[in-house]
Amino acid sequence: MYKILFLHGFFASGQCVPAVALRDAFKGRAEVITPDLPIHPKEAISFIRELIEKENPNLLVGNSCGAFYAQMLASEMGIPALLGNPHFKMTEFLRERIGKHQYKSPRKDGKQDFTIDEALIEEFAEVEATQFESCSPLCKDRIWGLFGEQDTLAHFEPLFLEHYERSFHFPGGHTPTADEVRTWYVPLAEKMLMEFIKKVLVETRASTRNTPKTL
């Protein structure tokens, strides 16, 4: 069974609407892993990297801040990724929201309160500065962008297209509804699974044919 790792947005959790909708849509066909991500970006990236090494997912799917992380880890670790409304400048998003907040969906540890402060913003600034360092020609067509035409928070399709080639639109906002996940995210995720798993099989067979046999 295929594995998909879903990375949620900043105010969300592994139980947010897009995560649940993606799990339901792939039930019986793929395991969709939807963890709660740490609030601090460096901790989140380390957590995701370890999870990828443990679970070996076939595809990353991220939304907003989760897509920000997915771009970096997909490039670094050679995994296809679907980026939904990626927010590549989280510092701008956070500076307008300094103070105390609550997550918009329940987290497994029961902690719903968090604070945005200057230290958190500075940590995001450090990560932002190097976010495209692992991008290479090899991953240009393996990382796809999906952009909501009614998104009022993230407008980074031009920046995405400076690094990647395949961009798609859907008639929705920043955080997709369950119907939008089923209608737009799922078909693209299915297409990516088929396209890149087939490519891996072809490359593996070619490599096997070209490997000298030993006695």
Side-chain angles (χ1 to χ4, degrees):
M1 185 178 288
Y2 302 134
K3 281 188 180 180
I4 299 171
L5 176 56
F6 176 80
L7 307 177
H8 61 73
F10 185 80
F11 279 96
S13 74
Q15 294 301 314
C16 64
V17 169
V20 173
L22 199 66
R23 285 204 311 262
D24 289 346
F26 278 100
K27 189 173 182 179
R29 299 185 294 144
E31 178 184 359
V32 180
I33 304 166
T34 62
D36 293 343
L37 301 179
I39 189 171
H40 290 274
K42 293 179 182 178
E43 184 182 353
I45 290 168
S46 295
F47 172 81
I48 297 165
R49 186 182 289 115
E50 291 175 4
L51 192 57
I52 289 172
E53 291 172 348
K54 176 184 176 182
E55 298 291 347
N56 193 29
N58 304 103
L59 177 68
L60 303 183
V61 178
N63 192 68
S64 190
C65 185
F68 168 67
Y69 294 140
Q71 185 281 136
M72 288 182 278
L73 274 301
S75 299
E76 174 189 327
M77 306 185 79
I79 305 171
L82 176 61
L83 312 183
N85 289 325
H87 207 305
F88 293 135
K89 295 184 180 179
M90 286 297 298
T91 50
E92 295 180 358
F93 175 84
L94 296 174
R95 283 197 182 100
E96 298 177 354
R97 295 167 175 81
I98 289 177
K100 295 182 178 180
H101 298 272
Q102 285 193 327
Y103 291 106
K104 295 181 180 179
S105 52
R107 292 173 70 91
K108 289 183 178 180
D109 61 8
K111 296 179 180 179
Q112 294 301 119
D113 299 315
F114 66 94
T115 300
I116 298 173
D117 56 22
E118 290 293 345
L120 180 64
I121 294 171
E122 180 56 34
E123 188 175 337
F124 267 99
E126 292 178 22
V127 175
E128 274 182 24
T130 61
Q131 64 181 301
F132 293 109
E133 282 190 350
S134 295
C135 182
S136 73
L138 295 175
C139 60
K140 274 186 173 293
D141 70 338
R142 296 193 177 198
I143 296 179
W144 298 6
L146 179 57
F147 298 89
E149 294 170 351
Q150 306 302 318
D151 187 353
T152 60
L153 292 177
H155 307 283
F156 298 108
E157 185 177 15
L159 179 56
F160 172 86
L161 289 172
E162 289 180 18
H163 301 276
Y164 304 107
E165 299 174 345
R166 304 180 76 167
S167 174
F168 304 86
H169 293 179
F170 74 100
H174 187 68
T175 301
T177 65
D179 283 343
E180 287 167 347
V181 169
R182 288 188 289 267
T183 303
W184 300 97
Y185 282 65
V186 170
L188 283 177
E190 291 172 335
K191 183 175 176 62
M192 294 186 79
L193 284 171
M194 295 302 99
E195 183 170 326
F196 293 111
I197 289 175
K198 181 179 179 180
K199 184 179 294 186
V200 168
L201 288 173
V202 170
E203 291 172 352
T204 301
R205 288 168 183 165
S207 176
T208 302
R209 285 197 301 270
N210 294 329
T211 301
K213 295 182 179 180
T214 58
L215 298 176

